[in-house]
Amino acid sequence: MRAPILSIIKDISKTRFYRRNSLLNIFTAIFVSMFSLSAQTPRRDSGADGLSHLVALKPGDKIPDAVWNQSLELNYFNGKKKTIKFSELKGKLILLDFWATTCPSCIENIPHMEEIQKRYPQELTVVLVNSKRNKDTPRRIKIVLDRYKEKYNFEIKLLTLLDDTILTNLFPHNTIPNITWINPDGIFLGNTLPDEVGIKNIEAILQNKNADLQLSGEFRNKDNRMATPPIFDTTGVKFLSAITGYLPDYLPTYPNVAHKNDKSNYQMVNAAFNFMLRNAFKNELKGFESTDYVFEDGLKDKIQLMLLGGSRREYQYSYQLFVADTISPGRAERYFQKAFKDYFHLTIERKRGPVSYYKIEILDNISDLKSKGGMHQINVNPGEGPIFFRNFPLVTLLSLLHQYVDLPVSYDRNEDMQVDLTFPVGFEGMPVEEKLSFLASKGILLTRQQQEKEYPYISRIY
């Protein structure tokens, strides 16, 4: 799935707000008046008098007529508005994108939602929804979005509901961003995280009215991730150490050893494969980066998607250790390493010897890749279209190239430039020489070299 770069690196700047002169205050007051909150309190003259009897919908439920009859006041971000009947959207796939100004990832996902709307102008409608419980005022919205305009030259083109209560209660969720899916037949398919919004799922719904969506909704560990409920039943158990796949009812958790009543729990939930790999082999990978990995012959191709697909649920895993005793963090980590080896049949050892690698040199024509600005975006999933990087740090792009070639890479970590780069369709499956030729044409020259050094060797366990 396409995802904002925030899922890979954090680039949240601290911003101070200063008191402006009186002229700007007058302008802001005018803007606030234009951007007045959407009145979604049911009115008898709006056909909404039946809304007080509505209950939260479950996946598979039909949207009630009382909701279709509701008038929606949609707001542009320049202060203009338009009012429609919700029923005007019937027959399309409807995506409700719940957001707030306090949620950077919500805002940074909006460019992707705009691309989806542009790709399917007749087949679907994306509506942004800002809930009343967010307590977002028009003034706050303006201040936050002005920052994005100044930093990224980004202005939201989609329309938004403001001060919503009806849709928020109809499609319950306790985290944002949250995407609510309503199929063309008016059936609520469920709530998901934004990663599910991709070509594969959209095409499935347009053709078959349904898709294999990984539903979320309300997460069990939203309020305290460090106190995540056990993912396995440990009643009557003295020892349990097990890995399983993605768990839709949980937000990701960081590994942590907790002691209670002379018992020990250690778990991580919905962790990317590469994150688990680095935690399972901390000592073996100490001092190394993923660009240093050396693989057993034929292994890299088999696990490449696992290494790349950190945001995709099929490459996220969960682990739980339970011991009816008090144990140290080091012992817990040893249990985890054994579970990792047993589950993935992989191991890592430090070796020393001659290592072939690519030395990266930046050429003058790299200037052609200088970013034109805009929100950070990245797509590394070929199933969702060409691989691309927009307004992306060059040094981070170089760190990912080892995933697409046959050897480790070495590069100058002081490269300071934002780039826009789109790879050819099918790049991931091209012969290595064609990949190297393409990269050189873009100012990134990879030259094969060899050096005697220590390296982490990843191999199968048979």
Side-chain angles (χ1 to χ4, degrees):
M1 305 290 173
R2 294 179 185 173
I5 190 177
L6 190 65
S7 62
I8 300 177
I9 59 174
K10 292 184 178 178
D11 181 25
I12 303 173
S13 60
K14 295 182 179 178
T15 305
R16 294 181 179 177
F17 302 111
Y18 298 94
R19 192 176 298 274
R20 307 299 179 91
N21 59 40
S22 58
L23 182 61
L24 183 56
N25 287 337
I26 293 172
F27 172 80
T28 301
I30 294 172
F31 180 91
V32 169
S33 176
M34 293 172 65
F35 214 168
S36 61
L37 298 179
S38 170
Q40 288 219 357
T41 302
R43 302 191 311 270
R44 291 194 177 277
D45 61 352
S46 70
D49 49 323
L51 291 176
S52 60
H53 303 295
L54 293 178
V55 296
L57 298 183
K58 302 184 296 298
D61 288 347
K62 278 195 169 185
I63 305 301
D65 289 340
V67 177
W68 288 121
N69 292 331
Q70 179 71 180
S71 292
L72 303 180
E73 186 178 81
L74 300 176
N75 296 262
Y76 293 90
F77 287 86
N78 61 3
K80 296 181 180 180
K81 310 171 187 288
K82 78 172 184 178
T83 301
I84 67 168
K85 284 275 192 178
F86 195 37
S87 58
E88 292 179 38
L89 305 182
K90 262 188 176 182
K92 295 184 177 184
L93 168 60
I94 302 171
L95 299 177
L96 304 177
D97 184 356
F98 290 84
W99 71 287
T101 59
T102 54
C103 170
S105 60
C106 294
I107 299 172
E108 295 183 14
N109 184 61
I110 290 176
H112 173 53
M113 301 302 288
E114 292 186 335
E115 288 185 0
I116 290 295
Q117 181 65 84
K118 186 176 180 180
R119 185 182 182 106
Y120 298 95
Q122 305 301 324
E123 297 89 347
L124 65 78
T125 296
V126 177
V127 178
L128 304 180
V129 182
N130 192 303
S131 303
K132 186 172 184 176
R133 65 190 182 192
N134 297 333
K135 299 181 180 178
D136 267 335
T137 64
R139 179 182 176 85
R140 179 191 292 174
I141 290 172
K142 182 184 184 308
I143 290 173
V144 171
L145 295 186
D146 278 353
R147 284 163 46 197
Y148 281 88
K149 182 178 180 180
E150 180 180 355
K151 185 173 183 179
Y152 301 111
N153 192 29
F154 172 68
E155 295 181 85
I156 299 175
K157 300 178 181 65
L158 293 172
L159 283 76
T160 188
L161 281 170
L162 297 174
D163 207 26
D164 171 75
T165 56
I166 295 172
L167 300 179
T168 302
N169 292 324
L170 205 60
F171 310 110
H173 54 278
N174 61 357
T175 59
I176 52 174
N178 175 81
I179 307 297
T180 292
W181 299 69
I182 302 171
N183 80 2
D185 287 342
I187 295 174
F188 171 48
L189 299 181
N191 293 319
T192 74
L193 296 175
D195 289 340
E196 293 295 298
V197 181
I199 296 171
K200 179 181 176 182
N201 286 333
I202 291 172
E203 290 288 346
I205 293 171
L206 294 178
Q207 293 175 23
N208 306 312
K209 308 297 177 65
N210 209 342
D212 180 25
L213 297 173
Q214 186 61 67
L215 303 182
S216 51
E218 296 189 311
F219 293 94
R220 295 181 62 188
N221 61 338
K222 184 249 180 184
D223 294 323
N224 187 356
R225 296 200 203 184
M226 300 309 290
T228 293
I231 58 179
F232 295 106
D233 184 4
T234 57
T235 305
V237 174
K238 291 186 177 181
F239 178 86
L240 183 149
S241 176
I243 293 177
T244 188
Y246 178 86
L247 299 173
D249 296 328
Y250 293 82
L251 291 167
T253 65
Y254 195 81
N256 177 59
V257 179
H259 300 108
K260 186 176 181 180
N261 300 328
D262 296 325
K263 298 179 176 65
S264 303
N265 283 282
Y266 173 84
Q267 61 185 22
M268 63 184 81
V269 178
N270 295 339
F273 171 78
N274 201 25
F275 180 83
M276 276 199 156
L277 182 77
R278 296 199 69 87
N279 274 276
F281 297 97
K282 286 183 177 179
N283 293 330
E284 293 81 357
L285 293 174
K286 186 176 181 180
F288 294 117
E289 296 185 15
S290 57
T291 52
D292 300 310
Y293 293 170
V294 177
F295 296 86
E296 176 186 330
D297 288 345
L299 178 58
K300 184 175 182 179
D301 290 340
K302 292 184 178 298
I303 67 171
Q304 182 179 23
L305 286 177
M306 296 168 69
L307 290 167
L308 276 172
S311 64
R312 297 170 61 182
R313 70 176 190 257
E314 58 263 48
Y315 304 127
Q316 293 182 4
Y317 304 89
S318 302
Y319 172 73
Q320 181 177 340
L321 169 70
F322 173 81
V323 182
D325 194 5
T326 301
I327 64 171
S328 67
R331 188 175 167 192
E333 290 172 357
R334 289 192 292 274
Y335 282 131
F336 171 57
Q337 185 185 81
K338 183 179 185 307
F340 185 96
K341 290 179 177 180
D342 292 342
Y343 189 87
F344 294 105
H345 305 289
L346 296 173
T347 189
I348 300 179
E349 58 182 319
R350 298 174 80 103
K351 288 190 172 185
R352 186 167 191 86
V355 176
S356 295
Y357 66 98
Y358 290 112
K359 176 69 176 178
I360 297 180
E361 178 185 354
I362 300 302
L363 306 179
D364 290 342
N365 60 324
I366 194 71
S367 60
D368 295 341
L369 298 185
K370 186 175 180 180
S371 178
K372 297 178 177 61
M375 200 79 83
H376 300 309
Q377 285 186 282
I378 176 175
N379 175 45
V380 295
N381 180 6
E384 295 299 323
I387 298 166
F388 70 78
F389 304 86
R390 294 179 188 162
N391 200 7
F392 198 84
L394 175 59
V395 67
T396 309
L397 172 60
L398 299 180
S399 75
L400 297 175
L401 289 182
H402 72 101
Q403 305 287 3
Y404 300 102
V405 295
D406 56 333
L407 299 173
V409 299
S410 175
Y411 58 96
D412 183 355
R413 287 167 170 75
N414 295 317
E415 295 293 346
D416 184 19
M417 179 181 176
Q418 300 291 117
V419 298
D420 297 332
L421 178 59
T422 299
F423 289 85
V425 174
F427 176 82
E428 69 286 349
M430 288 181 178
V432 173
E433 291 305 317
E434 289 186 26
K435 294 178 180 178
L436 299 183
S437 177
F438 168 77
L439 291 170
S441 73
K442 299 299 181 181
I444 304 172
L445 180 66
L446 278 69
T447 305
R448 185 171 180 140
Q449 298 187 9
Q450 192 174 75
Q451 181 181 359
E452 177 88 13
K453 64 177 184 178
E454 192 175 29
Y455 59 91
Y457 182 68
I458 304 178
S459 60
R460 301 179 182 88
I461 297 175
Y462 296 95

